[in-house]
Amino acid sequence: LEETFTFTEFLEEKARSTHNGIQPWDELKISSKDAEKYASGDEDTKERIDAELDASKAKYVEPIKNRFTQILKKSANVVPSAKVLVDVKSNKSIISKIIRKTPYGKMKDILRSAVIVQRQEDIPKVMDALRKNFSLYQLKTKEKKKDPLGYYGSYHYIVEFGDALIEVQLMTKRLWTYKELGHEVYNKWREEIAKNPNLLNDPHYMKDNDELRKDVALSKRIFSRGNGANVRI
């Protein structure tokens, strides 16, 4: 494509994929009840579901992983020292997400990836390459004012690859490093947030929970630091 896009136009770009959002691995149905049994340590359920998930990944995910990685690396190589990470979601994480009400067949991060760049100004260049190599299904921009934990500065693409939708996270190396610290705070409160999705936006709960209030403030400082702010964490 010859046209030159500004950064704002990238963020406002409309999806070009016509994918219906249902993944090829939707043929495997895992109920919330079975997911709960798996998480509680029921050995028979865990053994059965692990075998089913492993077979599903072998059929639908592993065959596309290498080719997808090649094309993603081609996109990332437009800037120097970019790093590409591609992995397959663990069974434990899949079960956790099912418990949090996302069906297996609608998960877009079974095969998930990240492009880590050195500088903020590298990001539009990689965006342009991604746009040329993949059809965009969705772009989620992490914005400081909208995320209760203060996570901002990264760009989460969902791209179409064959019959599958795949997540691509794009951010700087600095933010990626601090994101790992921020994720520790999220993991601490993940179960509570799953039970009450509006937990972090509830001023009464926040006011009465000193530990949560301090952790939210810590998370916001972590992500500010990850985006270059000189703040103490």
Side-chain angles (χ1 to χ4, degrees), residues 189-207:
W189 295 97
R190 173 178 275 183
E191 289 188 13
E192 290 296 320
I193 294 171
K195 294 175 186 175
N196 178 7
N198 294 316
L199 177 72
L200 298 178
N201 294 311
D202 185 338
H204 299 294
Y205 190 93
M206 292 288 289
K207 181 179 179 181

Side-chain angles (χ1 to χ4, degrees), residues 72-73 75-86 113-120 122-123 126 130 151 153-156 168-180 226:
L72 190 62
K73 285 182 176 179
S75 302
N77 284 343
V78 297
V79 298
S81 303
K83 184 176 181 180
V84 168
L85 304 173
V86 179
S113 60
V115 178
I116 314 301
V117 298
Q118 293 296 321
R119 307 170 303 163
Q120 192 72 28
D122 291 334
I123 287 178
V126 177
L130 288 172
Y151 181 14
S154 69
Y155 307 90
H156 295 198
V168 181
Q169 296 187 18
L170 175 57
M171 69 189 76
T172 64
K173 181 179 178 181
R174 179 186 178 99
L175 179 56
W176 180 263
T177 300
Y178 280 94
K179 176 191 168 189
E180 297 300 304

